[in-house]
């Protein structure tokens, strides 16, 4: 039996003429297949594997071109080129010599600057800070606080930020203070739009700078989703713009808290006896912002044990002086012992005048008690005068009313009072 197979010019064993010869437009089947594959590759841009023969030829070519000696020369050339364009840069030495950091500070900061290969950008940043009026010590403090500030682009970031802040009405000195207090946020251009919102909220740049001493995290908070909802909650509780500003000045962390946390603070202030309409509501929010529910409960129990207060006494005291929650156990114990044991005050009397527990024992309570007692024992002050009334006076008023009028009768009184404020007990104040 004759086997018919395709040959380049027709069917072998067949008497039929070759179709390719009879009709040039007709291509052999394998030719048409390869043509279609080439067209598909051109249309799709795909790179399919080369045929085995071509792969072998290409591999042979690569082996000849990239012989071991040639590839080693290329690698050496690359290393030499890199060394010539990126000379070694000792970051730690630069931080000590140029930025003024101590050796431990430089060691810590250099870990965040290991990618630096040249002093060009840090030099530009330092020059820019000097132009704002920062001293060498200020620059060292900024770099120690935020080493990556040296990586900020002067033209791309720092200059536009300063221009934006200047447009908000800030002076170079105020911008320099901002950089010193919150350098990590001043190297982001978004800080301009945030300060545009915060300046009216805090009331002034001075108030804003005061708050940054307690924390700068709020500069990184998202205004729409994080900050403004909390401001709205406080406004709905009856706090005016001034009270909100005062709260944030002393406790800027509230701006970083969740809305749920702020709602809890409001409820907690009401539970300790300070309603929203109270003038002490802002102080209560500030006090409870430091603690959890468990810690506040523990502090209330401690007040009861230490001062012998009832639940009603605690409620009265906290409604008038929520700041008692922030006083340490040691301070409360020493102050209460002095007022009860030495001065002889009744715990219930103290509960109605709880601000006494917030005063400094060494700086106000004890020195003024010595003065009042000295004046009474020497007939210079009526015995009915309340010790509490002398405590609530400012230092200036206290001096005018209880020290200066007795210069002739008690010429050493001012000196003894000053010594008592330093923790000393003059002989004239040692009563038997």
């Amino acid at each position: 039996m004759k086997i018919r197979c395709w040959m380049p010019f027709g069917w072998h064993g067949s008497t039929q003429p070759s179709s390719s010869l009879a009709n040039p437009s007709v291509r052999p089947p394998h030719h048409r297949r390869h043509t279609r594959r080439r067209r598909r590759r051109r249309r799709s841009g795909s790179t399919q594997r080369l045929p085995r023969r071509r792969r072998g030829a290409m591999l042979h070519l690569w082996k000849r071109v990239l012989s071991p000696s040639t590839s080693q020369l290329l690698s050496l050339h690359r290393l030499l080129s890199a060394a010539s364009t990126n000379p070694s840069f000792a970051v730690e030495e630069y931080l000590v010599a140029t930025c003024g950091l101590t050796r431990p500070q430089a060691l810590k900061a250099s870990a965040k600057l290991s990618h630096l290969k040249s002093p060009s950008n840090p030099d530009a940043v330092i020059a820019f800070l000097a132009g704002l009026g920062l001293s060498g010590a200020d620059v060292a403090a900024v770099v120690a606080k935020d080493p990556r500030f040296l990586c900020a682009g002067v033209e791309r970031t720092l200059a536009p930020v300063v221009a934006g802040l200047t447009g908000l009405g800030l002076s170079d000195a105020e911008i320099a203070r901002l950089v010193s207090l919150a350098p990590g946020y001043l190297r982001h251009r978004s800080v301009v739009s945030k300060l545009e919102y915060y300046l009216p909220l805090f009331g002034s740049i001075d108030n804003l700078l005061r708050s940054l001493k307690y924390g700068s995290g709020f500069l990184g908070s998202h205004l729409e989703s994080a900050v403004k909802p909390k401001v709205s909650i406080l406004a709905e509780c009856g706090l005016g713009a001034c009270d909100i500003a005062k709260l944030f000045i002393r406790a800027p962390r509230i701006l970083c808290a969740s809305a749920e946390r702020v709602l809890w603070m409001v409820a907690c202030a009401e539970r300790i006896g300070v309603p929203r309409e109270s003038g002490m509501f802002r102080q209560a929010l500030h006090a409870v912002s430091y603690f959890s529910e468990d810690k506040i409960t523990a502090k209330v129990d401690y007040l009861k044990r230490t001062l012998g207060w009832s639940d009603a006494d605690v409620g009265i005291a906290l409604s008038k002086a929520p700041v008692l929650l922030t006083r340490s156990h040691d301070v409360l114990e020493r102050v209460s012992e002095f007022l009860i044991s030495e001065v002889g005050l009744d715990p219930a009397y103290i509960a109605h005048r709880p601000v006494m527990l917030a005063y400094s024992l060494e700086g106000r309570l004890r020195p003024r008690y010595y003065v009042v007692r000295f004046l009474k024992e020497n007939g210079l002050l009526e015995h009915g005068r309340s010790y509490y009334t002398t405590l609530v006076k400012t230092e200036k008023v206290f001096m005018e009313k209880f020290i200066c009028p007795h210069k002739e009768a008690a010429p050493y009184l001012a000196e003894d009072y000053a010594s008592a404020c330093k923790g000393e007990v003059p002989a004239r104040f040692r009563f038997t």
Side-chain angles (χ1 to χ4, degrees):
M1 182 175 64
K2 223 180 238 189
I3 299 175
R4 301 175 64 201
C5 60
W6 175 259
M7 297 298 288
F9 301 102
W11 291 96
H12 180 69
S14 169
T15 57
Q16 297 294 328
S18 170
S19 60
S20 60
L21 295 176
N23 186 0
S25 64
V26 178
R27 300 296 184 190
H30 77 280
H31 187 280
R32 290 196 298 270
R33 274 199 310 276
H34 288 303
T35 300
R36 286 195 296 269
R37 288 175 183 171
R38 283 194 295 272
R39 288 174 181 170
R40 284 198 298 269
R41 283 200 296 270
R42 283 197 295 269
R43 283 197 300 266
S44 63
S46 62
T47 55
Q48 298 182 4
R49 295 186 63 185
L50 295 171
R52 182 174 298 176
R53 289 182 181 178
R54 293 184 64 187
R55 289 203 308 272
M58 293 298 293
L59 181 60
H60 179 68
L61 178 63
W62 277 111
K63 286 182 177 179
R64 291 186 60 188
V65 173
L66 292 178
S67 62
S69 58
T70 305
S71 60
Q72 290 171 3
L73 289 173
L74 288 173
S75 299
L76 180 61
H77 174 71
R78 292 191 193 99
L79 290 173
L80 292 174
S81 299
S84 62
T85 57
N86 296 308
S88 60
F89 174 49
V91 176
E92 186 177 333
E93 294 300 325
Y94 178 87
L95 293 174
V96 173
T98 306
C99 301
L101 271 65
T102 65
R103 184 64 64 177
Q105 287 176 327
L107 180 62
K108 182 179 179 181
S110 61
K112 299 180 180 180
L113 301 173
S114 58
H115 62 285
L116 281 179
K117 303 301 180 185
S118 165
S120 58
N121 197 81
D123 285 345
V125 171
I126 292 174
F128 186 81
L129 293 177
L132 286 176
L134 274 77
S135 65
D138 295 331
V139 171
V142 167
V143 175
K145 186 180 292 186
D146 180 32
R148 290 192 178 94
F149 198 89
L150 292 175
C151 305
V154 173
E155 297 299 329
R156 184 179 67 255
T157 303
L158 298 182
V161 166
V162 170
L165 297 179
T166 302
L168 296 178
L170 273 63
S171 66
D172 283 354
E174 291 166 340
I175 296 173
R177 289 176 64 192
L178 272 174
V179 172
S180 297
L181 291 168
Y185 297 102
L186 268 293
R187 55 184 173 89
H188 297 284
R189 298 177 68 167
S190 60
V191 75
V192 176
S193 60
K194 291 181 178 179
L195 288 175
E196 187 176 10
Y197 171 80
Y198 282 128
L199 285 172
L201 180 66
F202 282 89
S204 69
I205 181 60
D206 289 331
N207 287 342
L208 178 62
L209 292 171
R210 284 173 57 196
S211 72
L212 289 175
K213 294 178 181 179
Y214 296 100
S216 60
F218 65 91
L219 290 179
S221 298
H222 192 273
L223 292 179
E224 297 299 329
S225 63
V227 177
K228 292 183 179 180
K230 282 166 277 192
V231 175
S232 298
I233 291 172
L234 296 174
E236 290 170 2
C237 290
L239 290 181
C242 184
D243 280 330
I244 292 176
K246 289 179 179 179
L247 178 62
F248 289 154
I249 290 170
R250 294 295 305 277
R253 64 186 171 280
I254 296 176
L255 287 167
C256 304
S258 64
E260 291 74 16
R261 171 71 180 177
V262 176
L263 290 172
W264 174 86
M265 289 165 48
V266 171
C268 187
E270 293 177 321
R271 281 197 299 274
I272 65 173
V274 187
R276 300 183 184 192
E277 60 272 12
S278 169
M280 302 301 295
F281 185 65
R282 171 174 59 82
Q283 288 89 331
L285 290 175
H286 179 212
V288 301
S289 68
Y290 290 95
F291 307 109
S292 64
E293 183 79 38
D294 293 341
K295 289 188 177 181
I296 291 175
T297 301
K299 183 58 68 74
V300 169
D301 292 339
Y302 183 81
L303 289 171
K304 290 179 183 178
R305 293 194 309 270
T306 304
L307 289 122
W309 282 348
S310 64
D311 288 337
D313 290 333
V314 172
I316 292 170
L318 291 180
S319 68
K320 294 184 176 184
V323 70
L324 293 183
L325 293 174
T326 66
R327 305 291 278 176
S328 70
H329 287 185
D330 177 64
V331 169
L332 286 172
E333 183 178 2
R334 291 190 297 111
V335 170
S336 61
E337 183 179 356
F338 170 78
L339 294 176
I340 295 172
S341 301
E342 190 167 346
V343 181
L345 300 179
D346 185 73
Y349 178 90
I350 299 173
H352 285 80
R353 298 160 185 82
V355 70
M356 288 192 291
L357 295 170
Y359 290 139
S360 168
L361 177 60
E362 292 76 14
R364 178 172 294 207
L365 293 174
R366 184 173 279 134
R368 293 194 183 187
Y369 171 69
Y370 290 157
V371 169
V372 170
R373 185 169 177 180
F374 174 85
L375 293 175
K376 287 182 178 181
E377 290 197 355
N378 287 275
L380 300 174
L381 186 68
E382 63 272 21
H383 284 274
R385 178 62 65 93
S386 168
Y387 167 58
Y388 173 73
T389 60
T390 67
L391 291 178
V392 297
K393 305 293 184 184
T394 64
E395 186 66 17
K396 180 181 179 182
V397 173
F398 179 80
M399 291 290 294
E400 291 174 351
K401 288 186 174 294
F402 300 98
I403 302 293
C404 296
H406 309 292
K407 285 183 179 180
E408 294 184 2
Y412 299 103
L413 182 59
E415 181 182 340
D416 290 344
Y417 174 67
S419 297
C421 288
K422 295 177 182 178
E424 303 171 6
V425 183
R428 282 174 289 270
F429 283 172
R430 292 180 184 143
F431 308 103
T432 57

